[in-house]
Amino acid sequence: MRQSQLFMPTLREAPSDAEAASHRLMLRAGLIRQLAAGIYTYLPLGRRVLRKLEQIVREEMDQAGAQEVLMPALQPAELWQQSSRYEVYGPELIRLRDRHEREFTLGPTHEEVITALVRGEVNSYRQLPMTLYQIQTKFRDEKRPRYGLLRGREFLMKDAYSFDADWDGLHRSYMSMYEAYNRIFTRCGLHCRAVEADAGSIGGEGGTHEFMALADIGEDTIAACNACSYAANLEKAEYRIGHKENNGPASQKKELERLHTPDIKKVDQLVEAFGLGADAFMKTLIYTADGKPVAVIVRGDHEVNEIKVKNALAANNLELADQETAERVTGAPTGFAGPIGLNIPILADHAVLAMDAGIAGANEKDYHFGSVNPDDHLANAQAGDYRNAIAGDCCPRCGQGRLTFHLGIEVGHVFKLGTKYSETLNAKFLNGSGTEQPLIMGCYGIGVSRLLSAVVEQHSDSNGIIWPKSIAPYRVHVIPVSAKDQAQMDLALHIASRLQEAGVETLLDDRDERPGVKFKDSDLIGIPIRIVVGKHAAEGIVELKLRNEAIVQKLDLEEAIAAALK
Ligand code: 9G3
């Protein structure tokens, strides 16, 4: 390809509202352009990489025995009403009416569509197992689209759905997808880690894993053990509960003390006022779970994990109570809430119950209680794991290692759905003994456009992108230093045509630009192999440099071509 003809509008500077490194580089290197918030056009370079990512996904899906289909983006609302998800999702679900005023959604995912398809066609266990997948545009009206393709409103997803006769079959389908995902991300050059995750709204009974590309821009936090393979999204991460040290005879228990704490509401103010560590306090937060008030108590140095609380209460909706509700149930302004005198359910984290005594709000303005002890004052609290894991917690799996924290970009998510959709949508089959049963399903997603950004996040430096060979838009960048020097141009053209004939995707920078501009652009667009044809062209000597290495090799024509073919 001649660069003078390539539609690749590069920018010296990225727009100031582009914060993520990948977003800035993809705009500057002319890979994408924004049409509207969260909505992008892929320019030729970006499209070439996206197509290679799709191809790797496709090969591994086919290799795993999945069959490719292509479903519509327009989905009748009736399907979402049958699965009773139409009301569950709010403004994120894009809804529209057709010319006959019938309601449709622009598909954010395809559980309903694929289940409706299969219920009409699969009715015997002999047709199982079967996994179908597609690579297709998804629509989710994100409130705050950002970071370029990392969080878009229209994006490319590979979504696969498995159908089995029983749970053993699902476990096999799930593992087959799980292993295919590991191969896909490795082939894309992505440093990725599978973590245990929370099934969230999609539900499903059997667990779920997220595949996280480690990156500082990542919006997910991963807790990983430094001694074994345990890793989990912070939403779900657990830890070995420390056993309550036996602190000698109960006589040490002191009487409750009423402490005057004027306007001291936050834990850090209490720490300041009492000169104690945050772990000496009991932090009480008032939530409403499906509208009903509930108190959650964690130690002062911990944070409430709302996913864990929501799952423990099997609540659909959990949110911090508004000020009015909190004051009504505690009898005090926020900041003085505590367990004593509350007549709403109390969830107390294990670490609080392991305290001998703590300082807690007195449910009275400007007062706290000292020497609150769990045996007396939290006897009827519901004990559980309600806090976020913290770095240094003991690994729940091996009990030896400690949890370390990392940021990641979720590029894949696999779920064991069970019968969540086959029941509501009535997708059944006749099993071996002739009884009708709902299909056992799994679903498996990869954000293909998000993958593009994640690769750039992990493979770039201050000069630009460093494409892994497997997905680079071109393999070799041939650069004649001066377009006006006939010897250089002739040799460069010769090399480019030799490589092209050998099936190596080659970009020839035939622009009449200063050498500095050519080299800056070459670093920016990140083609893995660069062959420079400069002043030694007359002797047939060229320079070869790899984008991810500093050394420059002086080679003759055949050596250079052989090196590029490797
Ligand atoms: C919606 C909207 C947003 C959504 C969903 C539904 C996420 C929704 C979860 C999934 C689960 C899996 C198949 C591929 C892998 C992921 N955001 N999810 O169901 F209506 Cl607006 O999509 N689906």
Side-chain angles (χ1 to χ4, degrees):
M1 177 70 195
R2 288 170 166 269
Q3 203 162 328
S4 59
Q5 289 150 14
L6 175 63
F7 177 42
M8 182 184 83
T10 54
L11 302 170
R12 201 161 307 292
E13 292 299 322
S16 54
D17 65 341
E19 299 157 68
S22 56
H23 188 194
R24 301 173 64 76
L25 286 172
M26 290 162 76
L27 290 170
R28 285 191 50 219
L31 269 68
I32 57 173
R33 281 295 180 271
Q34 178 174 307
L35 176 64
I39 300 171
Y40 288 86
T41 298
Y42 300 92
L43 305 185
L45 276 196
R47 183 67 187 112
R48 289 177 74 94
V49 180
L50 194 66
R51 187 181 294 113
K52 295 196 172 182
L53 291 170
E54 286 177 36
Q55 202 42 34
I56 289 174
V57 169
R58 193 168 273 118
E59 284 167 10
E60 293 301 335
M61 283 293 112
D62 294 348
Q63 185 63 33
Q67 300 174 65
E68 186 169 8
V69 298
L70 182 60
M71 290 178 261
L74 274 175
Q75 304 184 11
E78 292 84 355
L79 279 181
W80 286 72
Q81 283 148 355
Q82 280 174 34
S83 70
S84 65
R85 288 214 290 176
Y86 204 57
E87 304 318 323
V88 167
Y89 284 91
E92 196 186 349
L93 179 62
I94 296 180
R95 305 154 200 260
L96 62 123
R97 288 179 181 281
D98 69 5
R99 60 189 305 166
H100 309 293
E101 287 301 304
R102 287 192 207 102
E103 280 192 81
F104 284 80
T105 73
L106 276 182
T109 182
H110 281 69
E111 279 81 6
E112 283 78 3
V113 174
I114 196 80
T115 306
L117 169 77
V118 168
R119 84 179 156 199
E121 313 299 339
V122 170
N123 44 38
S124 158
Y125 71 100
R126 289 191 184 80
Q127 296 169 278
L128 302 173
M130 175 173 73
T131 299
L132 304 176
Y133 78 94
Q134 64 173 353
I135 299 177
Q136 200 245 34
T137 303
K138 295 286 184 287
F139 300 86
R140 293 179 186 178
D141 200 353
E142 294 280 350
K143 191 170 185 180
R144 267 185 307 283
R146 57 182 188 164
Y147 300 159
L149 303 184
L150 284 178
R151 183 172 289 281
R153 292 196 288 167
E154 178 177 334
F155 56 94
L156 196 60
M157 183 197 277
K158 183 286 299 174
D159 43 326
Y161 303 86
S162 64
F163 300 89
D164 281 277
D166 53 36
W167 275 86
D168 284 349
L170 171 56
H171 296 318
R172 284 190 293 276
S173 300
Y174 186 89
M175 280 324 292
S176 157
M177 286 288 107
Y178 185 99
E179 282 144 18
Y181 276 42
N182 282 328
R183 287 193 295 275
I184 287 167
F185 298 126
T186 304
R187 286 183 61 187
C188 293
L190 207 61
H191 179 201
C192 219
R193 177 141 198 194
V195 302
E196 294 181 23
D198 179 71
S201 59
I202 191 80
E205 297 102 57
T208 165
H209 285 85
E210 284 166 346
F211 287 77
M212 295 291 188
L214 302 177
D216 292 343
I217 198 73
E219 295 183 335
D220 286 274
T221 302
I222 302 154
C225 174
N226 59 10
C228 75
S229 63
Y230 176 75
N233 188 314
L234 185 61
E235 289 174 352
K236 182 175 172 80
E238 298 167 349
Y239 33 80
R240 186 74 47 105
I241 309 289
H243 296 291
K244 177 165 179 169
E245 301 75 37
N246 173 356
N247 292 321
S251 60
Q252 277 181 1
K253 226 186 279 184
K254 283 196 277 180
E255 281 309 301
L256 211 55
E257 305 154 69
R258 198 160 165 274
L259 309 167
H260 187 215
T261 50
D263 237 8
I264 299 176
K265 304 178 178 179
K266 296 277 174 227
V267 171
D268 51 12
Q269 292 172 304
L270 285 161
V271 165
E272 182 72 32
F274 288 91
L276 296 168
D279 59 349
F281 300 95
M282 297 173 176
K283 185 162 59 175
T284 303
L285 292 111
I286 309 296
Y287 284 90
T288 52
D290 295 340
K292 293 193 292 299
V294 61
V296 180
I297 306 185
V298 295
R299 212 173 64 186
D301 56 327
H302 291 156
E303 296 301 326
V304 172
N305 179 313
E306 295 184 358
I307 301 271
K308 290 180 182 176
V309 171
K310 191 171 164 212
N311 291 342
L313 294 170
N316 273 325
N317 187 12
L318 180 88
E319 48 196 42
L320 271 174
D322 56 40
Q323 186 153 3
E324 189 270 330
T325 308
E327 294 194 1
R328 177 165 51 77
V329 300
T330 63
T334 45
F336 298 100
I340 299 172
L342 268 194
N343 50 18
I344 55 173
I346 297 178
L347 275 63
D349 182 73
H350 294 304
V352 170
L353 298 176
M355 294 169 77
D356 279 325
I359 295 173
N363 289 329
E364 184 184 349
K365 185 171 169 14
D366 294 342
Y367 279 90
H368 279 76
F369 279 128
S371 307
V372 176
N373 70 71
D375 302 350
D376 297 342
H377 306 120
L378 285 169
N380 54 9
Q382 182 182 332
D385 167 10
Y386 304 123
R387 70 170 173 92
N388 279 333
I390 55 173
D393 272 336
C394 180
C395 172
R397 188 62 36 76
C398 70
Q400 308 302 324
R402 296 286 163 180
L403 296 183
T404 56
F405 278 30
H406 312 271
L407 290 173
I409 301 167
E410 178 194 330
V411 289
H413 202 159
V414 291
F415 294 80
K416 290 179 184 170
L417 287 174
T419 57
K420 175 177 163 70
Y421 290 92
S422 49
E423 254 159 18
T424 49
L425 292 161
N426 196 27
K428 297 183 183 315
F429 72 98
L430 280 181
N431 68 13
S433 37
T435 2
E436 203 176 51
Q437 284 193 314
L439 290 162
I440 310 287
M441 290 175 62
C443 65
Y444 316 87
I446 289 179
V448 180
S449 44
R450 181 179 275 186
L451 204 43
L452 177 51
S453 287
V455 170
V456 178
E457 282 293 332
Q458 288 191 354
H459 296 276
S460 54
D461 62 16
S462 54
N463 299 323
I465 301 169
I466 305 172
W467 291 115
K469 275 169 73 169
S470 57
I471 57 170
Y474 292 94
R475 175 67 61 87
V476 181
H477 201 181
V478 178
I479 304 179
V481 172
S482 158
K484 290 199 175 61
D485 180 312
Q486 204 48 49
Q488 291 182 18
M489 275 311 282
D490 291 349
L491 183 53
L493 277 165
H494 175 72
I495 291 173
S497 58
R498 285 277 302 274
L499 290 172
Q500 207 56 51
E501 274 151 34
V504 176
E505 292 171 314
T506 303
L507 181 63
L508 170 70
D509 190 350
D510 60 341
R511 297 173 300 163
D512 186 5
E513 288 280 0
R514 284 181 292 103
V517 168
K518 293 191 171 192
F519 293 135
K520 262 188 155 343
D521 281 353
S522 180
D523 282 342
L524 178 61
I525 65 176
I527 310 284
I529 301 170
R530 179 194 304 174
I531 295 178
V532 175
V533 182
K535 53 183 181 298
H536 305 297
E539 303 103 71
I541 299 295
V542 297
E543 292 179 351
L544 186 139
K545 180 187 178 299
L546 300 184
R547 175 66 180 82
N548 62 353
E549 282 178 16
I551 58 162
V552 176
Q553 294 170 305
K554 284 193 185 330
L555 304 171
D556 71 28
L557 169 64
E558 295 311 326
E559 286 166 336
I561 289 178
L565 285 174
K566 249 189 333 200

